[in-house]
Amino acid sequence: MDSTRVTEQPISFERPQTGADPADPRGALLRSPVPPSAGTPAAGTAALPAQARPGETPPDTAVPGQEPAGVTEHSQPGAEHAAEPDTHRPRPAPEGVPAPAAGEQEHAEAAGGERRTGQGLPPGRPTPMRRDGDRLRFVGAATRRIARGMDLDEIVMGLCRATVPTFADAILVYLREPLPVGDERPIGPLVLRLRRTDRIPAERDTEGGFMPPVQPEPSGLDAVGAETCEVRPGSALAEVLRGVRPVFTDAPAARAALPELLGDGGGFAVPSGQRAILAPLRGRRRVIGAALFLRRPERPAFEADDLLVAAQLATHSALGIDKAVLYGREAYIADELQRTMLPETLPRPTGVRLAARYLPAAETARVGGDWYDAIPLPGSRVALVVGDVMGHSMTSAAIMGQLRTTAQTLAGLDLPPQEVLHHLDEQAQRLGIDRMATCLYAVYDPVSHRITIANAGHPPPVLLHLGGRAEVLRVPAGAPIGVGGVDFEAVELDAPAGATLLLYTDGLVESRLRDVWTGIEQLREKLAATAQLTGPDHPPPLEALCDEVLDMLGPGDRDDDIALLAARFDGIAPNDVAYWFLEPEDAAPGRARRLARRALERWGLEELSDSVELLVSEVVTNAVRYATRPVTLRLLRTNVLRCEVGDDVPQLPRLRQARATDEGGRGLLLVNKVARRWGATRLSTGKVVWFELGVPPAP
């Protein structure tokens, strides 16, 4: 996409008002005020009595050779008669271009009137700044406008709109491509790309306003500038950029640099004389671009003091651009760091459907520590985790990644939820004394239709029942992770089929406009209202439900990032589960084959009998060889057929290549060859080895 954007500043055909900002974003043109005639009081002059200090001449006494009292540098002629009534008082001049001082008007008229007063300028053209005070006010207003920008485009736009039309009729801003970030040393040639141009449209103005039918003649400023240019080492443009200071383009070095910057023929469109200034833009380390200020031939040329103004604008803009690029890179790295620590995709465990959302915070605090996770567990269970690290920084995102990794490791050990939170609390204390987070850890069992939840200072989950009733679950709040020395409590609740459990972080329910409990109640009402749309017998679609929940945020920036995890409990029907205990004896594999065959006949899956019997025999044989307690065998029928064999031996089996002389070691090779998927998971009481086979479609 072309990064060059060309905009035009609209001409205001209204008369200037008092206190006009020289960097007015509307681009109003500042006109020269009509000087008051002799004997006419100056605008805004008050008839206050003057007081004399000791040793000074009283204000009413005129001293030969001195100005009358009350007439200062900024007074208008005739100000001494301000007390007299006058119905023809002229309108005061705008702030950006103050009225000429006493004696300065005559000096300007003696000099020809054009350079200092703007007389002879076409209607609607800006007048030049007359005194150093004008330039100081303009530079102050312009730098404030530039400093308001947060990103690269806002800073460049602030420079253009603050400059045109008060200081110049047109501006071209070139930036290095690519822009260096921080201490990064650029590689390759220096290439400047035209980032933005602003100019005054060459329209005509009358006292009545616009004259659309009249088409102005094209101006040379409308065609100035090439899109890109490569700065060759040792060239005239390279020397000007190395000099850093702004220069008039009629100087020999700048005149030779213009064709290289503007392209072939571009230098001929630049007005002659001192009506163009080339200002290099230098960041903290190196030159990052250039700005070209232009005035039309009918406008007075720049003065020597205008080089100082251009230098101030270029310096503030370059430093702002440098910081914006550095901030943008840091924000990008932090955002990518946080997103890579979140799960790319959610698993598809048996008996539960999952959906998740993550929204970063506002641009000013987009990096946070919210995370969510869904971890498959042995026995077709699944662990649902949502956490929130306190703070918004790169450190918060890094701690979030460490805690999430720890939670996944603890889940792999199949520890109870309260034990998982206890170990997370210890890990947070090892990371630092101020590393605190809230977390909610839940384990759902689709066979028993139960869910076990432990909480560490996190907002309670909301359960949406199939009939449309939304319930805030009563879970002990607990203390946040990182406090230390606190016991966590777990509760076991019913998880009926068709219900939806919603886990979330506090950014969803808490803001500057509402407290957390008010937000939780609004969330409950939102879920109930959404469920009413689909009726009592059909739960709302899971993805659409997440979108509806996020809609309760409303417009505007968010104070905190948001993690949302929704789980739809489908469960596994009891008639789709077969469960047995087998004594660790030599007859166990044969009994396991017979039990599996009967279950498959009951389910109408006789065509899988040969494969299932073979694999069950191999896995059970390996289990009873080392087990000391009864071995468990469970078959689950869902969209796949899953077989689980558990024993009390914690060592996990490993797949290895058996040699020709080995009598064993081929069981797992056979499972790996025949099964669709297989795996082994360590439990607190031993391990579970499982495999899955595809279920043929129903006729």
Side-chain angles (χ1 to χ4, degrees), residues 16 30-35 93-94 97 100 116-119 121 125-128 130:
L30 307 178
R31 303 181 185 173
S32 176
V34 179
V97 184
R116 303 300 291 180
T117 66
Q119 294 180 3
L121 294 178
R125 290 296 176 201
T127 58
R130 296 179 180 83

Side-chain angles (χ1 to χ4, degrees), residues 187-198:
I187 301 176
L190 172 58
V191 177
L192 299 181
R193 176 176 290 275
L194 183 62
R195 183 79 184 193
R196 186 182 180 92
T197 65
D198 274 18

Side-chain angles (χ1 to χ4, degrees), residues 376-381 411-412 414 634 642 644 681-683 688 690:
L377 299 178
S380 298
R381 296 171 301 154
D414 197 30
R634 184 167 71 170
R642 183 182 178 98
E644 299 174 351
T681 306
R682 182 179 286 109
L683 304 177
V688 168
W690 57 270

Side-chain angles (χ1 to χ4, degrees), residues 145 177 188 216 285 301 331 355 431 445 680:
R145 177 160 195 158
E177 190 177 78
R285 300 290 181 181
L431 295 177
D445 189 345

Side-chain angles (χ1 to χ4, degrees), residues 50-118:
Q51 297 180 0
R53 296 179 181 179
E56 294 182 348
T57 305
D60 295 335
T61 305
V63 179
Q66 297 184 3
E67 294 180 349
V71 180
T72 64
E73 179 186 358
H74 299 283
S75 301
Q76 298 287 346
E80 64 275 11
H81 304 291
E84 299 179 6
D86 184 13
T87 59
H88 302 286
R89 177 175 297 175
R91 178 173 296 178
E95 180 184 353
V97 184
E104 199 173 26
Q105 177 76 16
E106 292 80 0
H107 173 72
E109 292 177 355
E114 180 181 355
R115 183 171 183 83
R116 303 300 291 180
T117 66

Side-chain angles (χ1 to χ4, degrees), residues 415-541:
L415 298 178
Q418 65 272 20
E419 289 296 323
V420 172
L421 294 183
H422 176 72
H423 289 292
L424 283 176
D425 180 64
E426 292 180 342
Q427 175 66 13
Q429 295 180 60
R430 284 191 291 266
L431 295 177
I433 58 175
D434 58 344
R435 309 310 189 200
M436 301 182 64
T438 62
C439 182
L440 193 144
Y441 189 93
V443 175
Y444 170 66
D445 189 345
V447 177
S448 63
H449 296 268
R450 303 280 289 178
I451 185 169
T452 306
I453 306 175
N455 190 8
H458 204 77
V462 180
L463 183 65
L464 178 63
H465 293 269
L466 184 59
R469 180 174 64 91
E471 174 189 6
V472 179
L473 298 182
R474 296 183 178 181
V475 180
I481 291 173
V483 174
V486 180
D487 291 333
F488 299 98
E489 183 180 354
V491 295
E492 188 174 351
L493 305 172
D494 289 329
T500 304
L501 183 69
L502 199 70
L503 309 180
Y504 53 91
T505 55
D506 57 355
L508 179 66
V509 295
E510 186 180 19
S511 67
R512 290 170 293 180
L513 304 179
R514 60 183 177 185
D515 61 85
V516 60
W517 289 108
T518 301
I520 292 175
E521 180 62 23
Q522 292 179 359
L523 173 61
R524 189 193 65 80
E525 295 175 354
K526 182 70 173 180
L527 290 174
T530 304
Q532 297 298 326
L533 300 178
T534 57
D537 300 330
H538 301 281

Side-chain angles (χ1 to χ4, degrees), residues 42-216:
T45 305
L48 298 177
Q51 297 180 0
R53 296 179 181 179
E56 294 182 348
T57 305
D60 295 335
T61 305
V63 179
Q66 297 184 3
E67 294 180 349
V71 180
T72 64
E73 179 186 358
H74 299 283
S75 301
Q76 298 287 346
E80 64 275 11
H81 304 291
E84 299 179 6
D86 184 13
T87 59
H88 302 286
R89 177 175 297 175
R91 178 173 296 178
E95 180 184 353
V97 184
E104 199 173 26
Q105 177 76 16
E106 292 80 0
H107 173 72
E109 292 177 355
E114 180 181 355
R115 183 171 183 83
R116 303 300 291 180
T117 66
Q119 294 180 3
L121 294 178
R125 290 296 176 201
T127 58
M129 290 176 284
R130 296 179 180 83
R131 293 187 302 272
D132 292 340
D134 305 341
R135 292 185 174 88
L136 290 177
R137 281 190 292 271
F138 166 73
V139 170
T143 52
R144 286 193 301 270
R145 177 160 195 158
I146 295 171
R148 285 198 297 264
M150 291 294 297
D151 57 15
L152 179 63
D153 292 332
E154 290 179 351
I155 294 173
V156 175
M157 183 175 63
L159 170 63
C160 293
R161 294 193 173 178
T163 303
V164 179
T166 308
F167 183 69
D169 294 326
I171 182 175
L172 288 80
V173 180
Y174 289 83
L175 294 182
R176 190 167 190 158
E177 190 177 78
L179 281 168
V181 181
D183 297 332
E184 178 182 292
R185 184 175 296 276
I187 301 176
L190 172 58
V191 177
L192 299 181
R193 176 176 290 275
L194 183 62
R195 183 79 184 193
R196 186 182 180 92
T197 65
D198 274 18
R199 64 177 180 271
I200 302 176
E203 297 177 348
R204 299 177 62 180
D205 172 70
T206 63
E207 293 296 325
F210 287 101
M211 292 184 62
V214 179
Q215 297 295 333

